[in-house]
Amino acid sequence: MRERLEQLEEDALRKLSAAADKDIVTELKVRYLGRKGELTSITRELSKLPEDERRSLGKLTNDIKKRLEEKITTLLNDFSVKEQEDSLKSGILDITLPGRRPPLGRIHPVTRVMGEVEEIFLGLGFEVAEGPEVELDYYNFEALNIPKDHPARDMQDTFYIDNEILLRTHTSPVQIRYMKTCRPPLRVIAPGKVYRRDSDLSHTPMFHQVEGFMVDEGITFGDLKGLLIVFLQSLFYKDIGIRFRPSFFPLTEPSAEVDIRCLICEGKGCRVCKDSGWLEILGAGMIHPEVFNSVDYDSTKYSGFAFGVGIERITMLKFGIDDIRLFFENDLRFLEQF
Amino acid sequence: MKASLKWLKEFVDIDFMPQELAESLTMSGFEVEGIETVGMDVQGVQVAKILSIDKHPNAEKLSVCEVTTDKERYRIVCGAENIGVGDMVPLALPGAVLPNNVHIKKVPIRGVESDGMICSEAELGLGEDSERIMIFDADATLGMGIHEYLGISDSILNISITPNRPDCLGIIGIAREIAAITGRPLKKHPSSPGSCDDRDIAKMISIENELPSLCRRYTARIVEGVTVRPSPLWLKKRLEMHGIRAINNLVDITNHVMLEYGQPLHAFDYDLLDKRRIVVRFAEDGESIETLDGIIRALTKEVPVIADGAGPVALAGIMGGNRTEIGEETQRVLLECAFFDPASIRRASRRLGLSSESSYRFERGVNIEGIGPVIDRAAEMISEIADGRVICGSVDVYPDKYVPPKIEVNTDRINSLLGTDIKEASIKQILKRLGIELKTSRKKGVFIALPPAYRLDIEREVDLIEEVARLTSYENIPSTLPKARISPVEKGRMLEVNDTAREILSDYGFFEVINYSFVAQSTFNIADIDKTEAISLLNPLSEEQTVLRGYLFPSLLETLKYNINRENRDIRIFEIGRTFEPDDRLPVEREHIAGLIYGHRYGLSWNQPKDQVDFYDIKGSVEHLLDGLKIRNASFDGSKDIPFLHPGKSARLFLDSDEAGFIGEVHPATLKALDIEESAYIFEVSADIFSRYYMPFGKYKAIPKYPAIKRDISFITDRTIEYKKIPQYIMSLDAKIIEDVELFDVYCGRNIAEERVSMAIRITYRSIERTLTDEEVSHFHSRILRELTDHFKIEIRDVESNTVKL
């Protein structure tokens, strides 16, 4: 019996040492140590032996079992380490292959900049109002102090549906519609599409505008300057050069044109700023008493300012786009850049 | 308005650089859009005299001239025929540079050495005449640079004049403004009445004004014995620099005076005026006039004209007629200088579709008080330049004299609107500099301002406030921040829906596009809307942009085509914009969200499937959109009657019972008409209706505490049975313990009869109160199998008790 056991251990250890992989070791484990394994069946035979023989052989059996188990554990462990090493060696990817990208779209640059402008004014407590794009002559012109047969109408070449109905040339009619239904104090922006009969490198027959206005007691021209400086600094950058110069808009008086330092040449003079060092960025002014008359506001009590900013122009400046028509051609090679 | 710096300097001292002048003008409301330097591209050309002309020994068409510059003599070979001995000509010697960078050198021409060249107008860049040598007046100074002699070295400022400042549509007006800005005096032309013929002008011409409210002043003068010929070079050059073509001395003089004063004038051939009569009246229906541009214009009774005894001789304030035009035979001239009502001229000009330098000024308003000096200046120039003999005095029909408005000015009001603290004395000083007359008022703190006649834009106090602000300089007004109460802001549901939709769609691979609101009629027709529903523009810019959109998707199809033509092949685009439908007065405007997909689902990529998009891609996109906006209660109903969609692959979207849009494959016929080869899928939904159902905050649902049991069913059913009905039916059996029904496989093809389809669904059972037992789920699941078999006649393929405990 003892010889059998020693023989068994010797065989087992030899086979284990020769084992080439994890599966053989597992097989050998079952063969020797399994429920029906060789060592197990010998153990069963032990019970038939006399007490003292049983004890000494039992100890031997246990020792053999322990040694085999140890050997098997070490082998399995070694194989598993080796396996992992092998798999790391063989699992090398070409990481320069392009990644698997879910399709991703983009928001139109004009909408993005429009959103930026809206957010700035929402942050300053302005409300957002909207109005129709097809407007009555009254709201688009007359109520804004632009009577029929006034040369100021030449400033905005208009698309007409009929004599009285037109495509709004600015979002200023929203001013009238809003003021007709609300009383001061008010702070409002009116974003939207506007239409002018014009088409070249810097004009398209449709473009986007944000009109803003604020009416209360004691609003001054200085306030208009202050607010627009805050707006332009938020939209561009904090130290941007800004200047105000007189201009003419029938709906405001005094009227101002607001320029920023050229973003391209920083004031040295270039093609974009036509060598002036400045870029026209928005029009503004104190709301004209005639406009207040149209909405039955007492212009001796209230004052206010209004301003209008063209979104395409700002977008072009921000991204260095030199042809406004690109915005509406919708070539994907253009849109995917934003 | 172009303005020569030299000309301006005749009226105001300007001793700073043109750039500085431009800056001051810009900062006071007269934007200088550019400064052009003229006469600088010719260097080193001087006045020389021809001493002799001989034939060229070797060339028949050339001659050899001897010329002198007073200091030296030169031999010049020349091909022109118009020269004679004694003529004063421009001489370019070696070292001179002509326009286009032509450098003059000594060169032999057909064997005769030429010391330089004598030049034509064209060679000097001064005109178009390239055949003839330019010949100066006999009194030109020999050896003088031609710049100096011709006075052509100058800066031209291109100034943008806003519609409220017609007084600056003339050199004097701009000079007056410069004087006001700089505080320097405005110089006046020395008045030289000269001699005149003292015959009674009133007997020579009768002027009847039938339209006193339209023509508020009509003044005429007569000059006799004129010689009509080309103008002297300086005058031609000056007009040309200001963008006006020279015609003859008389016409040029009227244009010169107009440029100087901003007041248009007209010259008639006095002898061609029938019955020596001028009548200001409306045209009669049926009358016509041939205007100076050679066009015969039919007139109507709304058009004001200047007529003589025989009919209209000019369109009042717009353009003269050919019948009384100044020509070479003209000997006597009637000069007209008038004030016409701005709005009337503008109406007439628009009605006739004819505008001119003259109508441009009249429709903005001229200086009614300034007419006398203007017509005197013109008469004076005619006598100087066209040898005329001026008849003394003028006929001046001016019944209602100009009365300036009296405007109350309150210093406090000025400061409170501007946010400034300007002293009354400074305000008064500014106003006076602008030629505004000031008077005291009995009211406290108030004074009266009377603007000059040329400032028609100053009507009320706020106009004066602007003047104060302007001359104070906007830059000197301190900027402050407005005081305002803090108040809640709301963006509005519609804008929120649009913004959220933009985010969702762009996250799912859609590019936002923006198309014009107006489309071609053919594009409009794609949507198959009744053509009478089209809202057309009266004055479109092009055929491509004539009607307002009734739907957005036709524009998306155009965008698709545009991109396909540019080799952009896999397309996902969306647009948010308004559609227009006729209504009582203004159209109904509806905000729509539309999308289009086309091409490969994943684009061309090594590690993604190369499938084409299909109906379920567009449907999934809309489902995502609904999900993201937390819109519940949405259902898709198959529809076969949307004309521009594939009848078997389209659906209407309902939110509850509101029809909110459609999705589907574009009808093959529509695609074919657009030359698009593969299938395109679109959706278009109403943002207005979405905004009614959209929930900014969907309520939170607790994460389940108890495990779920999932069971799969695989079955075969008739294709006619819509899938939607199956989960609906299952949920209706006992929604309490059924959490979800998911479809995870659909198959038709091999082993399945043609009219049948195989599907596999997974049912999730869960109670929110307790852990379900296997037995109760099995029990219920068998009931579902039974009910489905009975109700839908489905055939169960496989019942896998795929139990997953979670």
Side-chain angles (χ1 to χ4, degrees), chain A residues 6-162:
Chain A
E6 280 164 356
Q7 187 61 45
L8 184 141
E9 181 180 16
E10 203 190 311
D11 282 358
L13 285 174
R14 186 163 31 81
K15 282 181 182 144
L16 279 170
S17 298
D21 61 34
K22 202 166 112 187
D23 292 347
I24 298 173
V25 178
T26 315
E27 222 171 80
L28 290 170
K29 185 181 173 185
V30 174
R31 176 163 159 203
Y32 292 104
L33 303 178
R35 258 201 301 157
K36 290 172 186 166
E38 286 177 31
L39 190 63
T40 320
S41 56
I42 291 177
T43 313
R44 258 182 232 120
E45 283 171 38
L46 285 179
S47 58
K48 294 166 194 160
L49 295 177
E51 173 81 33
D52 55 338
E53 210 174 332
R54 195 172 69 206
R55 194 169 297 144
S56 72
L57 281 178
K59 185 174 181 302
L60 180 63
T61 314
N62 270 340
D63 289 349
I64 291 173
K65 193 178 174 191
K66 217 176 266 170
R67 283 197 289 275
L68 287 180
E69 274 174 345
E70 256 167 46
K71 178 77 180 171
I72 287 169
T73 308
T74 313
L75 279 174
L76 282 177
N77 204 24
D78 288 354
F79 278 122
S80 129
V81 167
K82 188 171 175 291
E83 202 171 277
Q84 194 176 0
E85 273 169 6
D86 288 350
S87 92
L88 288 178
K89 266 180 216 152
S90 66
I92 294 170
L93 293 182
D94 177 356
I95 51 87
T96 67
L97 286 172
R100 189 175 288 117
R101 295 160 67 145
L104 191 64
R106 293 278 196 282
I107 292 175
H108 196 283
V110 166
T111 321
R112 271 185 49 181
V113 173
M114 185 102 133
E116 262 181 70
V117 172
E118 284 171 14
E119 288 306 319
I120 292 170
F121 284 106
L122 283 168
L124 293 167
F126 281 64
E127 253 178 84
V128 182
E130 290 193 286
E133 291 174 19
V134 181
E135 255 300 2
L136 294 173
D137 186 283
Y138 172 78
Y139 287 106
N140 193 73
F141 288 129
E142 293 205 24
L144 290 162
N145 194 31
I146 315 172
K148 283 215 161 73
D149 300 317
H150 193 282
R153 291 210 175 188
D154 289 351
M155 293 166 86
Q156 303 179 355
D157 213 346
T158 311
F159 285 111
Y160 285 92
I161 305 291
D162 63 33

Side-chain angles (χ1 to χ4, degrees), chain B residues 649-685:
Chain B
K649 299 177 184 172
S650 55
R652 289 196 163 84
L653 170 66
F654 286 87
L655 305 184
D656 285 340
S657 58
D658 287 324
E659 188 174 339
F662 54 78
I663 62 168
E665 179 179 328
V666 178
H667 199 288
T670 306
L671 289 177
K672 200 171 169 212
L674 287 165
D675 258 342
I676 296 169
E677 284 168 11
E678 286 160 47
S679 304
Y681 301 86
I682 56 169
F683 73 84
E684 180 151 350
V685 299

